[in-house]
Amino acid sequence: TRKCHVPRLEVDPIACEFLPPKGTSERDFTVMLVGDSHAGHWVPAIQTIAAERGWTLITHTKSSCAYLAAPLNGYPECTVWNEAVQRDMIMRKPDLVFTSMVTNHAAAGAVGQPDNQERLARGLIGGLMPLLDMGTPVILMHGTPRMGVSITQCLAENEGNPAACSVSREKAMGHGGAVSIAAALEPRLSLVDLTDALCGPELCAPIVG
């Protein structure tokens, strides 16, 4: 509703700022969240935590564009946007950074999926390195489920039976591991995996609770 999410063909960053609610004990603490739409999935949760703790939240998200210092196949707009976002984060000096991504991105020059995930991981580290060198804590979030179907359409076609739109956990979450690889390669990165809060042992459901 605030048009914070940058469309695929646009390159100019849109920094959306969410201030603590009036009446809260505002702290001098700024959190930034950057990445593609799967990073954007975490905005409501982090916004809630930020509001409770008196933090300021600033977001930079763009369609199909993970925060990487590595080019994606056929997507020069992503590279331009990432460079501008990195400059903005360095200038702002946030106290904490979150990022996440869907891992079906295709890194330029990759041959095979293992090489692709390795390139994505190293690109992620490269983009975050200036922040890490500044002493900024960075948290990598495992991606949200990739359901592979239109959930809204499926729910409409199965009214009263949302379980019919569930997808196997392996299918929804087993699509690459660049975030995990990055955390293993760079010990200054923290990895958070909330898959168990989103999916059961076997299935990822469209509605939980």
Side-chain angles (χ1 to χ4, degrees):
T1 57
R2 292 180 56 180
K3 302 187 185 302
C4 299
H5 193 64
V6 177
R8 186 178 175 92
L9 297 180
E10 301 294 326
V11 298
D12 294 329
I14 300 174
C16 268
E17 188 173 65
F18 300 86
L19 298 173
K22 291 182 179 179
T24 59
S25 179
E26 186 172 343
R27 294 177 54 194
D28 184 19
F29 194 91
T30 299
V31 179
M32 294 190 75
L33 180 141
V34 298
D36 58 16
S37 60
H38 276 242
H41 291 174
W42 294 107
V43 170
I46 297 174
Q47 187 180 1
T48 298
I49 295 168
E52 291 173 350
R53 300 189 179 194
W55 298 349
T56 295
L57 169 64
I58 299 173
T59 66
H60 275 298
T61 61
K62 176 173 167 62
S63 292
S64 301
C65 181
Y67 179 69
L68 303 168
L72 298 178
N73 272 344
Y75 201 181
E77 297 87 355
C78 182
T79 300
V80 175
W81 179 84
N82 269 321
E83 291 171 350
V85 167
Q86 185 183 74
R87 290 193 295 269
D88 185 65
M89 287 201 293
I90 292 172
M91 177 192 70
R92 292 179 189 271
K93 296 181 174 63
D95 298 287
L96 180 64
V97 170
F98 287 89
T99 190
S100 183
M101 65 177 181
V102 63
T103 47
N104 67 329
H105 294 297
V111 179
Q113 196 53 242
D115 180 44
N116 184 52
Q117 295 301 319
E118 179 88 10
R119 287 172 183 257
L120 292 174
R122 293 193 180 278
L124 182 58
I125 293 170
L128 295 168
M129 193 61 71
L131 294 162
L132 295 172
D133 289 344
M134 288 165 48
T136 303
V138 177
I139 295 176
L140 306 181
M141 306 287 292
H142 263 297
T144 47
R146 188 162 177 257
M147 304 296 272
V149 296
S150 171
I151 291 299
T152 50
Q153 180 178 340
C154 183
L155 290 173
E157 293 172 350
N158 295 274
E159 188 173 355
N161 184 26
C165 303
S166 295
V167 177
S168 75
R169 178 167 171 155
E170 182 180 2
K171 178 181 177 182
M173 300 302 298
H175 44 84
V179 170
S180 298
I181 295 170
L185 291 173
E186 175 49 68
R188 290 177 293 176
L189 294 171
S190 298
L191 180 65
V192 172
D193 184 357
L194 295 178
T195 305
D196 287 342
L198 302 170
C199 299
E202 302 293 335
L203 298 173
C204 294
I207 297 174
V208 178

